[in-house]
Amino acid sequence: MHKKMDRKQKIIFFTKLILTVIYIVGLSIAIYKQVKIKTIDEQPTIVFLILSIVLFIFHILIWIAPKKFYDLLWKLYLLFPPEYTMDYKTGLSKIGNMGVGCLIAAIIFLIIAMLILFLVL
């Protein structure tokens, strides 16, 4: 059975939804402006756009399959000698915060790219 979302979970869900829509609209505008300029390889914005898209993909993966994505991160974490010890359950409980962080970072990189596109060029 699906458990009912409490107020905090609803706020987080709708915040993610609104920020995702804002991101997609902003990315569409940035890509349109980038194509209109027609010099993709000479622009520093392509780096910011790529970083933004990668972070957005991480956000989507965390949103759709948080446990599978965290299991992948946990396997990567175990490959390297840790500087500090981390508990699996503690990290898994914070994966939702990581998703929101990835989305906010993606929006920040997108804003930087759009500032370069619209103000400098």
Side-chain angles (χ1 to χ4, degrees):
M1 299 286 303
H2 246 33
K3 69 177 189 174
K4 198 170 187 176
M5 288 194 290
D6 62 354
R7 183 183 165 110
K8 182 180 175 185
Q9 289 173 330
K10 285 181 183 177
I11 291 171
I12 291 171
F13 174 77
F14 285 113
T15 303
K16 284 183 189 180
L17 197 62
I18 291 168
L19 288 176
T20 301
V21 170
I22 289 170
Y23 176 82
I24 291 172
V25 169
L27 184 65
S28 301
I29 293 170
I31 290 174
Y32 173 76
K33 179 74 173 175
Q34 186 76 40
V35 170
K36 193 174 172 184
I37 293 173
K38 297 181 183 172
T39 55
I40 291 176
D41 53 337
E42 296 177 1
Q43 303 300 328
T45 58
I46 196 71
V47 174
F48 288 107
L49 286 175
I50 290 172
L51 285 172
S52 178
I53 291 169
V54 167
L55 286 168
F56 183 72
I57 290 170
F58 283 169
H59 155 69
I60 293 296
L61 290 174
I62 290 171
W63 197 358
I64 293 173
K67 183 156 180 13
K68 289 191 185 273
F69 189 75
Y70 187 73
D71 287 342
L72 174 70
L73 292 178
W74 186 256
K75 288 176 185 172
L76 292 174
Y77 170 75
L78 293 177
L79 291 176
F80 300 102
E83 299 292 323
Y84 61 94
T85 57
M86 190 167 101
D87 184 23
Y88 179 85
K89 289 183 180 180
T90 304
L92 182 59
S93 68
K94 296 179 181 178
I95 191 75
N97 297 342
M98 287 174 54
V100 174
C102 285
L103 179 59
I104 291 170
I107 290 173
I108 290 171
F109 280 124
L110 182 64
I111 289 170
I112 292 169
M114 290 178 77
L115 284 174
I116 294 170
L117 279 170
F118 287 97
L119 297 179
V120 177
L121 303 175

